Amino acid sequence: MGNNNMNPSANRMQNNARNSSNTSCEDLMRAIMEADFFAQDLKLYLDTHPDDTRAVEMFREAVRQSKACKAAFEDSFYPLTADSAGKDGTWDWLDGVWPPHSFG
């Protein structure tokens, strides 16, 4: 299906990540969130329209974009999940910027 501009922002961030080391952590994180939101939205639609082949293809593309954006982020910054840590033989799970905790 390729890049049919189903999620232009995620496509742009994914391409920028591949082509430039200047893509910011925030830009890539935004692209991940957008691709994940798009995939989730399509999943909900497919729950009630499972025979919509176009939506199935769009869902597959959104998941592919999400995975590519996450891989670009982890290659440039730090692991997003515990199971993606330690790929280079070191334990890097706690590296990176963690969001502030708010306990209320």
Side-chain angles (χ1 to χ4, degrees):
M1 185 160 195
N3 289 339
N4 288 337
N5 291 328
M6 290 183 299
N7 188 343
S9 181
N11 278 337
R12 187 172 50 256
M13 288 300 117
Q14 177 185 340
N15 290 335
N16 288 346
R18 271 193 239 119
N19 300 327
S20 170
S21 61
N22 295 331
T23 303
S24 76
C25 179
E26 292 82 14
D27 289 342
L28 275 172
M29 190 60 75
R30 178 173 285 116
I32 291 166
M33 290 186 291
E34 288 174 2
D36 285 349
F37 180 86
F38 190 52
Q40 179 66 21
D41 200 38
L42 285 165
K43 184 188 103 26
L44 293 172
Y45 172 80
L46 286 166
D47 285 347
T48 58
H49 300 80
D51 297 327
D52 186 337
T53 57
R54 172 88 172 118
V56 170
E57 288 301 315
M58 290 172 67
F59 173 77
R60 288 181 181 148
E61 177 64 16
V63 169
R64 187 197 63 74
Q65 286 179 5
S66 174
K67 288 179 180 179
C69 288
K70 288 174 183 174
F73 183 95
E74 289 177 340
D75 287 346
S76 298
F77 299 104
Y78 53 86
L80 291 170
T81 61
D83 62 329
S84 62
K87 290 181 179 176
D88 61 358
T90 62
W91 187 246
D92 53 0
W93 170 238
L94 296 177
D95 292 347
V97 179
W98 289 78
H101 296 285
S102 76
F103 300 100

